[in-house]
Amino acid sequence: MGHGNTSKYPWGPDDVCPGGLILPILDERLWPINVRVVVYLFTLLYFLLGISIVADVFMTAIDKITSHTKKVYLAKELSPNGSDVSLRPDQPEVIEVRIWNPTIANLTLMALGTSSPEILLSIIETVFHHFEARKLGPNIIVGSAAFNLLIITSLCTLSLGLNEKRRIHDLKVFLVIGAFSFFAYIWLLLIIEVISPNVIELWEAAATFLLFPILMFFAYATDQNWCRKSTEHNTHQLDLDLDQSETKKQLILNNGKIDKENLIKFVKNVKKYSGITDADAAKLAATKLIDSTHRGAMWYRIGAVRRFTGGKQIEPVLEDHLRQVYDVIKKNGENGYDALNNKPPTFSQHDETKYAIIEFHAPTIAVKENIGKFPVTIWRHGNLNTKATVRVDSINGTAKEGEDFVKVKEVVEFKENEEEKEIFIEILDDNKFELDEEFFLRLSVIHHKEIMVKLGCISIMEVTIIDNDEPGIISFGKRGLLVKESTGFVEVPIVRTHGSDSEVSVKWKTIDESAISGRDYIGGEGEIIFKDKEVAKILRIEIINDMCPEKDECFEIKLFDTTGGAKIGNVNRIAITISSDDDFDSVVDRLMLLTNINIHALELHRQTWAEQIKTAMTVNGGDLTNATTLTYVLHFFSFFWKVIFAFIPPTAVFSGWLRFFTSLVLIGIMATIIGDLATIFGCLIGLDDAVTAITIVALGMSLPDILGACMVTRAETHADEAMIHIAGSIAVKVLMGVGLPWFIAALYHYLHGNLFEIPSTRIGFNVLLYSVMAILAVTVLMVRRNVEFFGKAELGGPTKGRYITVAILISLWVIYLSLTCFQTF
């Protein structure tokens, strides 16, 4: 089996299994074998959890290092045709660009971060075993490479939704990195089996290690398109300009701070949705900022580790009503539309004729608690000459399903030329006094290839449960509103309380005060109609910006003359104050502060030891509102490791480099202990080191990579971050994890006049087997990329295509695992 019977104990008889570099530390020879197996298994799993957490710390240091920027002064400006260069008369524009090239960062520090445990284990195992070749380290690297390429790629494919697909955008970089990783394994096979069988000469080991910087050079050259001639003038300047414009789209200035004007614009659009406070707007702005910023595979891997350890999440968590608003904003662009206030959506003429547009009849309704069942109208416009299907689901608010209403999960199908459908909602009467409660109904599209359906503006309906059936009292929602002159309009809320039965109406008119209609605003009079069960309306008044400095101006709006039995409430007048922009500085400053607080809460790393320790000791990093029972359980199991590693220096110390080296040392210690645990555990249950390496250890060390790869696949629009990172980590693992320790060992033996011997049966067969599987796997991916049946994409695609792909890749993994295990017996 490959295990000797040499005990590390300084006393007593020999043990069944040999000791490791650190373990065992207790005299366990008299323990029952079953007890030892259980203890070593759970200790191994616990240390695999710990090394995932310290690797998370290590990668936050890498993120800090690679995020360093430098200021670039743009003193020249390109003409539209790109040929002439003219000097700008004003002061040069300053932007900040990252020092690290993304490709180089991915292949060095970032790939090293995800592969550091395997690499360090291989180095330490070789150095501290008298510079002799070992089984565990190299086989872990080959095993994890096969696992990453076959299993993680399969899981990424399955993680996408129905008919979703992800295609590699920068195929050249992927092919270069993939070719190098494949060549690295072929090179290993040649030096083990062909050039100098069973002996690794110094030049062979040096060449293996030198392939790593060569890989970086070719990857960088491919990324920079050095092989393609270009006649563009000042291309680097143009790239910086494009980067600048992209940055402005993300609400960030070039110095990394929030742009006040863009924030005001975003908040103004968000405030169209009813019930959105300043704190809500700031949270939505922070969420949009984080989502619109490009994140690499490492960021998602850190998030995956924190997710299964109950740590601080790096993704925004929004309440249900904010999530609904944010989903609408994402779907319809930054400006979005007022889905809760019945504003018509902006559809092109092409959409109106091509798509069936479906929405609720009203954004808000109110019903009495003892109503039982009542109808809700869903109407369709646009293309009526086809069938259309949507799903209606209920979402809890203050009213809860099963307690206040019957859960809604219904499919609604429109026949040809059918414009309206009704569904029935059931309210539960619990015969006890309660304040008004609300829940929500949400429309979603059921996709069919032959049916073109889009949701209209009112895809979310708020249902309020009240305890009476009166026509209601109509009044303004507020007594006064303050509006900035440049905002363009003011939205005045008109509410119907204490009842919502039958259709009622109320008239309104504007009254000039210091603000004059036609000069400062567009006034007039009109009528607001509340249909049966509707309880909220918005009156929109246009504000005229005369661009002149002036004092605050004011006008009023009055409600009068109701119909349908409704009454006028106490708040029948509202004062609208038109303020200059300067008066909004304090409000905007508060919004910017709240937005920065939300962004800071989601940062990867903390600036002080106190913040680190506090975050490590609290469930979900202190965000108890969004913590679940599972979060508490995960936090309990990982508490020890999180607190211990919270004492690693923060990234603010020496720009992250002290954190980098400290965590690297701790990863080495943890990897050594894991190597000892795996070796002894494998011996106790009768497994060879090679089998233990490619199964338990490879799987345990790859778990964060699995979750991170699936997250980045779902979040990004292309497959580059997932696939290039998988290919890069495979190349780095073999070139650094095998090349570096073999170079050190070969140099040691060369200086002592010996040969560095490595029996070919130990790793040669494993390398050959992986190489065959890698060729087949990449062939499958390239076929997927060019065949319509698979969606012409490496990941995702049609259901049948993705399942066939997953079946092939998993079969390759099973064959690889079976043959490797068979070879060891």
Side-chain angles (χ1 to χ4, degrees), residues 78-145:
L78 296 177
S79 62
N81 59 15
S83 58
D84 300 327
V85 179
S86 58
L87 293 176
R88 295 174 53 184
D90 55 348
Q91 67 181 43
E93 188 175 0
V94 181
I95 66 172
E96 292 190 5
V97 296
R98 286 181 179 264
I99 297 175
W100 284 78
N101 175 269
T103 301
I104 298 300
N106 257 316
L107 285 178
T108 53
L109 295 180
M110 292 184 186
L112 179 63
T114 57
S115 308
S116 56
E118 296 98 320
I119 294 173
L120 289 175
L121 175 58
S122 182
I123 294 173
I124 293 171
E125 187 185 43
T126 300
V127 171
F128 287 93
H129 282 90
H130 309 291
F131 298 92
E132 298 295 339
R134 306 291 294 178
K135 287 186 180 181
L136 192 65
N139 281 289
I140 287 176
I141 288 172
V142 179
S144 64

Side-chain angles (χ1 to χ4, degrees), residues 610-626:
E611 288 181 335
Q612 287 186 172
I613 296 172
K614 180 181 178 181
T615 302
M617 296 185 70
T618 53
V619 178
N620 207 27
D623 184 12
L624 302 182
T625 304
N626 297 302

Side-chain angles (χ1 to χ4, degrees), residues 134-135 139 189 192-193 197-199 688 690 757-768 819-820 822-825:
R134 306 291 294 178
K135 287 186 180 181
N139 281 289
L189 189 62
I192 293 173
E193 300 285 355
N198 302 337
V199 174
D688 188 81
E757 297 181 355
I758 173 169
S760 60
T761 55
R762 288 189 175 184
I763 192 173
F765 178 80
N766 203 351
V767 171
L768 174 62
L819 292 178
T820 303
F822 178 78
Q823 188 266 342
T824 60
F825 292 99

Side-chain angles (χ1 to χ4, degrees), residues 193-455:
E193 300 285 355
V194 180
I195 299 177
S196 55
N198 302 337
V199 174
I200 302 298
E201 298 180 0
L202 181 60
W203 74 270
E204 295 173 334
T208 304
F209 180 62
L210 289 176
L211 284 175
F212 180 63
I214 295 173
L215 166 63
M216 288 193 296
F217 171 79
F218 276 97
Y220 180 78
T222 304
D223 180 66
Q224 297 297 308
N225 289 319
W226 283 2
C227 297
R228 186 184 68 182
K229 294 183 179 181
S230 175
T231 57
E232 295 179 357
H233 296 273
N234 203 356
T235 304
H236 188 52
Q237 175 74 40
L238 181 61
D239 290 340
L240 295 178
D241 288 339
L242 292 174
D243 184 65
Q244 177 197 13
S245 64
E246 180 67 22
T247 303
K248 287 184 177 179
K249 292 180 182 178
Q250 299 174 359
L251 303 176
I252 304 178
L253 283 175
N254 296 322
N255 59 7
K257 295 181 180 179
I258 297 175
D259 182 276
K260 181 180 291 188
E261 294 301 321
N262 284 335
L263 179 62
I264 293 172
K265 180 182 177 182
F266 179 81
V267 171
K268 180 180 68 176
N269 290 317
V270 167
K271 284 298 189 88
K272 296 176 183 177
Y273 300 84
S274 60
I276 300 298
T277 65
D278 287 346
D280 292 338
K283 185 178 292 188
L284 289 169
T287 303
K288 183 180 187 301
L289 174 60
I290 292 170
D291 283 354
S292 61
T293 303
H294 174 72
R295 303 292 184 181
M298 185 182 70
W299 188 83
Y300 290 98
R301 188 185 188 276
I302 293 174
V305 172
R306 297 188 182 183
R307 179 170 294 182
F308 72 75
T309 59
K312 179 62 180 175
Q313 300 300 306
I314 60 175
E315 293 179 302
V317 179
L318 298 175
E319 292 79 6
D320 285 343
H321 70 286
L322 293 182
R323 174 55 61 185
Q324 301 305 317
V325 172
Y326 186 68
D327 288 344
V328 173
I329 294 173
K330 285 180 63 178
K331 181 179 178 180
N332 296 276
E334 183 177 321
N335 293 330
Y337 55 81
D338 197 345
L340 303 182
N341 290 313
N342 201 16
K343 288 187 172 56
T346 303
F347 291 110
S348 66
Q349 186 176 2
H350 174 70
D351 287 343
E352 287 282 2
T353 57
K354 182 179 180 182
Y355 290 91
I357 301 169
I358 301 176
E359 57 188 320
F360 289 112
H361 190 268
T364 307
I365 63 172
V367 296
K368 57 185 179 180
E369 189 178 29
N370 63 353
I371 193 174
K373 293 185 178 180
F374 67 95
V376 169
T377 302
I378 304 171
W379 71 292
R380 174 176 68 163
H381 54 98
N383 183 9
L384 303 180
N385 298 321
T386 181
K387 294 181 180 181
T389 307
V390 293
R391 185 188 302 278
V392 184
D393 297 289
S394 57
I395 302 173
N396 286 339
T398 54
K400 306 298 181 183
E401 64 182 39
E403 299 178 7
D404 302 298
F405 65 95
V406 176
K407 181 179 180 180
V408 180
K409 190 174 184 180
E410 186 170 342
V411 174
V412 178
E413 182 175 343
F414 287 81
K415 298 179 181 178
E416 292 184 11
N417 299 316
E418 192 172 16
E419 296 185 16
E420 290 190 353
K421 296 286 285 188
E422 285 187 345
I423 62 170
F424 285 87
I425 311 299
E426 184 176 357
I427 303 298
L428 302 177
D429 189 355
D430 54 12
N431 296 320
K432 64 179 181 180
F433 174 76
E434 292 177 318
L435 297 175
D436 290 354
E437 299 174 312
E438 76 279 342
F439 65 97
F440 302 90
L441 299 177
R442 177 181 62 187
L443 287 175
S444 57
V445 176
I446 298 179
H447 294 281
H448 296 286
K449 183 178 293 184
E450 68 279 4
I451 300 177
M452 308 297 289
V453 179
K454 278 190 174 183
L455 296 181

Side-chain angles (χ1 to χ4, degrees), residues 508-796:
W508 62 270
K509 67 177 180 179
T510 59
I511 302 173
D512 290 348
E513 297 291 343
S514 56
I516 306 300
S517 176
R519 186 191 70 183
D520 302 303
Y521 71 99
I522 304 299
E525 58 183 41
E527 184 179 34
I528 298 290
I529 298 176
F530 289 82
K531 293 185 178 182
D532 184 32
K533 304 299 185 296
E534 292 182 352
V535 293
K537 288 290 185 179
I538 293 293
L539 174 61
R540 187 182 178 106
I541 303 295
E542 184 177 352
I543 304 298
I544 300 175
N545 186 4
D546 55 16
M547 305 300 291
C548 297
E550 53 195 353
K551 295 181 179 180
D552 293 349
E553 299 167 327
C554 177
F555 68 95
E556 290 187 353
I557 306 174
K558 179 183 178 181
L559 295 178
F560 64 98
D561 196 7
T562 60
T563 64
K567 300 178 181 179
I568 297 293
N570 293 329
V571 187
N572 63 343
R573 282 177 175 250
I574 185 172
I576 310 297
T577 302
I578 305 173
S579 174
S580 64
D581 290 352
D582 294 338
D583 295 323
F584 272 71
D585 286 345
S586 59
V587 177
V588 174
D589 289 342
R590 179 173 177 270
L591 284 170
M592 293 186 67
L593 176 62
L594 290 173
T595 305
N596 278 313
I597 289 174
N598 281 283
I599 294 172
H600 175 70
L602 296 171
E603 288 179 345
L604 291 182
H605 36 72
R606 295 291 179 254
Q607 299 299 316
T608 64
W609 264 292
E611 288 181 335
Q612 287 186 172
I613 296 172
K614 180 181 178 181
T615 302
M617 296 185 70
T618 53
V619 178
N620 207 27
D623 184 12
L624 302 182
T625 304
N626 297 302
T628 63
T629 302
L630 180 60
T631 308
Y632 280 90
V633 173
L634 295 174
H635 175 72
F636 172 78
F637 284 108
S638 58
F639 179 81
F640 173 77
W641 295 122
K642 289 195 290 187
V643 173
I644 289 295
F645 298 137
F647 288 93
I648 296 176
T651 56
V653 181
F654 295 112
S655 300
W657 284 105
L658 183 58
R659 185 180 184 87
F660 177 89
F661 289 109
T662 304
S663 54
L664 192 63
V665 171
L666 291 175
I667 290 174
I669 296 173
M670 295 283 289
T672 304
I673 297 175
I674 288 174
D676 290 351
L677 289 168
T679 300
I680 298 174
F681 173 74
C683 174
L684 290 174
I685 63 175
L687 285 182
D688 188 81
D689 284 348
V691 179
T692 306
I694 66 174
T695 54
I696 300 173
V697 182
L699 175 61
M701 289 187 174
S702 298
L703 183 59
D705 290 323
I706 295 173
L707 299 178
C710 291
M711 289 173 63
V712 72
T713 300
R714 290 193 300 266
E716 297 294 320
T717 56
H718 299 289
D720 295 57
E721 287 294 343
M723 297 305 301
I724 291 179
H725 183 73
I726 289 173
S729 64
I730 291 173
V732 171
K733 283 177 183 178
V734 67
L735 296 178
M736 291 287 290
V738 177
L740 182 57
W742 282 8
F743 173 71
I744 295 172
L747 180 62
Y748 173 85
H749 286 283
Y750 176 79
L751 295 176
H752 288 78
N754 302 321
L755 294 176
F756 177 43
E757 297 181 355
I758 173 169
S760 60
T761 55
R762 288 189 175 184
I763 192 173
F765 178 80
N766 203 351
V767 171
L768 174 62
L769 192 58
Y770 167 77
S771 301
V772 174
M773 298 304 166
I775 293 175
L776 295 176
V778 174
T779 301
V780 169
L781 294 178
M782 292 301 102
V783 169
R784 282 182 53 89
R785 183 180 178 88
N786 295 283
V787 176
E788 184 64 36
F789 176 77
F790 297 101
K792 288 190 174 182
E794 288 79 4
L795 302 178

